[in-house]
Amino acid sequence: MSRFLHTKFSSLTPYDTSGEIESMNGYIRLNTNESPYPPSPKAIAYSHEASQGLNYYSDPDCSKLAAKIAEMYSLNPPQIVFGNGSDEILNFIFMAFCENGAAFPNITYSFYKILADFHGVDFITIPLKDFRVDVSSFTAMNGRTIFIPNPNAPTGIAMSLHDIEAVITSNPQSLVVIDEAYVDFGANSAVNLISQYDNLIVTRTFSKSRSMAGARLGWCMTNGELSQDLRNIKNTITPYNINAMTQAAGLGSLEDEEYTRKNIDMIRRVRDNTRSRLQEMGFTVLDSSANFLFAKHESISGEKIFSTLKKNRIMIRHFSNPPEISDYNRITIGTPEEMQIFLDVMKGITENETK
Ligand code: PMP
């Protein structure tokens, strides 16, 4: 730490990306919930074309993207705000709307806690019940902003729209953020509820089903006023937050729904098959609606499975915290070929350890 750093940043806890960098070379990377498939050819072609115009600043409103998404969900373009990944949208939300604190599940996307700490937002965590978001516990939030991923991460378990609506209606003083990073893999979107509720934000990303994690593009949808607040923050600190190549790639992806649909179908098929195979090997595997599985073995520790796979150049995600999930690992669904290699190594691990 230099002597010039503001004291408020003296004890930051950045998001842990070490496992991700390590997995770059020659590893099968089943640790960061990316798509194993390349972006749509149309996304690549549009982005290449856009690279010719990089001498100009990018469109601060992402007008073409906003028009396309508005058409897809029957919204008006100003209801949509784009972020450099949905992480940036979450950051804007923590800045804008968490004066009364935040609330999120105790087992969920780790970035919420990191952002809360960074912005000095007081937060509470609500325990899951049998690994499910327990709607009855999300009451009397006293104006805290509620963050819930649907499906949740790292469990992969989805919530019903009925339950989401119950959280929204039982907390009229709170803003409810439904983080739909993984929604395309099997959950129901809350997007149709935004016309009814002025306390709902739905966030989305191009990083998962649209194979564009490296492009950094996410967005949110609200009834309108909330979006204007977020846009004001964005335009104050980072007006050109989405680069021109990414905007173009995003548009190409949205114009090629067939490609995304095909990849989602494949990932879901491979996910369900991998789940059955793991269950046959003695794993408990939660019922995933996402592009990953959350699994623990009946007799082998989560750490042991993680480290043995790593020796075999396969990265999955191990969580040592909180203790109740330390025997679970999160496994991103790769290509059928990658998952076959993974399952073969897993078979070896379970046979050796249980002998
Ligand atoms: N929400 C959840 C639940 C996630 O798992 C992730 C990905 N790590 C994100 C949001 C952010 O994704 P991105 O910034 O790539 O859109």
Side-chain angles (χ1 to χ4, degrees):
M1 182 172 82
S2 83
R3 64 198 163 95
F4 298 106
L5 185 69
H6 197 297
T7 48
K8 71 180 175 186
F9 296 134
S10 59
S11 59
L12 290 180
T13 321
Y15 187 72
D16 179 10
T17 53
S18 52
E20 298 164 32
I21 309 291
E22 196 165 13
S23 66
M24 299 287 277
N25 298 320
Y27 281 77
I28 293 181
R29 41 194 297 173
L30 309 179
N31 58 332
T32 42
N33 294 345
E34 294 142 330
S35 171
Y37 303 109
S40 143
K42 203 160 188 177
I44 294 170
Y46 278 22
S47 128
H48 184 253
E49 197 184 315
S51 68
Q52 318 293 318
L54 285 178
N55 48 318
Y56 295 117
Y57 284 105
S58 58
D59 173 1
D61 297 323
C62 299
S63 315
K64 287 184 183 159
L65 277 175
K68 183 75 190 164
I69 291 175
E71 178 196 313
M72 286 166 68
Y73 298 107
S74 306
L75 302 171
N76 294 313
Q79 291 177 269
I80 301 158
V81 182
F82 292 91
N84 197 284
S86 53
D87 279 343
E88 190 179 48
I89 296 284
L90 294 170
N91 187 27
F92 294 152
I93 293 171
F94 269 94
M95 282 186 213
F97 300 126
C98 292
E99 203 167 352
N100 298 322
F104 37 85
N106 64 335
I107 296 170
T108 194
Y109 184 34
S110 58
F111 209 49
Y112 304 148
K113 177 185 180 316
I114 291 171
L115 285 174
D117 286 341
F118 183 82
H119 291 293
V121 168
D122 173 63
F123 67 91
I124 55 171
T125 58
I126 310 295
L128 299 182
K129 211 181 202 169
D130 296 330
F131 282 113
R132 292 181 175 274
V133 171
D134 178 22
V135 178
S136 63
S137 304
F138 275 93
T139 48
M141 292 286 117
N142 294 327
R144 290 178 185 276
T145 294
I146 299 167
F147 292 82
I148 303 178
N150 187 36
N152 195 12
T155 62
I157 294 179
M159 266 174 98
S160 69
L161 279 185
H162 179 267
D163 281 356
I164 288 173
E165 203 163 356
V167 174
I168 298 168
T169 53
S170 59
N171 293 284
Q173 303 309 322
S174 284
L175 182 60
V176 178
V177 180
I178 303 297
D179 175 344
E180 295 191 338
Y182 302 102
V183 74
D184 292 338
F185 299 103
N188 289 320
S189 174
V191 65
N192 290 333
L193 299 178
I194 65 177
S195 58
Q196 291 170 57
Y197 299 105
D198 68 355
N199 61 332
L200 171 64
I201 300 183
V202 174
T203 64
R204 291 285 189 92
T205 183
F206 281 72
S207 298
K208 313 297 177 183
S209 59
R210 295 186 178 277
S211 302
M212 284 177 42
R216 311 306 301 127
L217 184 59
W219 80 94
C220 71
M221 298 172 279
T222 81
N223 74 335
E225 261 191 334
L226 295 164
S227 295
Q228 192 48 47
D229 292 340
L230 292 172
R231 190 173 297 107
N232 281 341
I233 289 191
K234 177 198 84 81
N235 285 339
T236 305
I237 56 178
T238 169
Y240 307 106
N241 61 337
I242 313 297
N243 74 71
M245 290 173 71
T246 290
Q247 292 190 30
L251 189 65
S253 166
L254 295 172
E255 287 181 6
D256 194 1
E257 287 302 76
E258 173 73 25
Y259 180 85
T260 300
R261 179 61 33 215
K262 203 176 71 209
N263 288 341
I264 292 170
D265 287 349
M266 176 63 96
I267 287 167
R268 289 175 59 150
R269 264 207 306 281
V270 176
R271 174 189 73 202
D272 296 344
N273 177 53
T274 305
R275 181 168 187 236
S276 309
R277 300 278 307 278
L278 287 172
Q279 284 169 329
E280 285 159 21
M281 293 179 208
F283 280 87
T284 300
V285 191
L286 302 190
D287 184 13
S288 172
S289 298
N291 66 337
F292 54 85
L293 294 170
F294 201 50
K296 87 165 176 181
H297 193 262
E298 58 199 11
S299 57
I300 312 169
S301 76
E303 215 302 304
K304 176 87 190 160
I305 288 170
F306 166 77
S307 55
T308 315
L309 283 168
K310 190 170 167 186
K311 277 190 209 129
N312 285 276
R313 302 179 82 76
I314 298 172
M315 295 297 294
I316 59 172
R317 183 70 193 264
H318 178 66
F319 301 89
S320 40
N321 261 316
E324 61 260 46
I325 61 166
S326 64
D327 273 335
Y328 279 83
N329 284 301
R330 193 192 66 198
I331 304 144
T332 305
I333 302 303
T335 62
E337 297 73 24
E338 287 173 333
M339 297 321 279
Q340 191 54 54
I341 297 170
F342 161 79
L343 286 167
D344 290 346
V345 174
M346 273 298 210
K347 197 152 179 43
I349 297 173
T350 52
E351 283 173 359
N352 281 334
E353 294 293 325
T354 43
K355 249 182 239 161

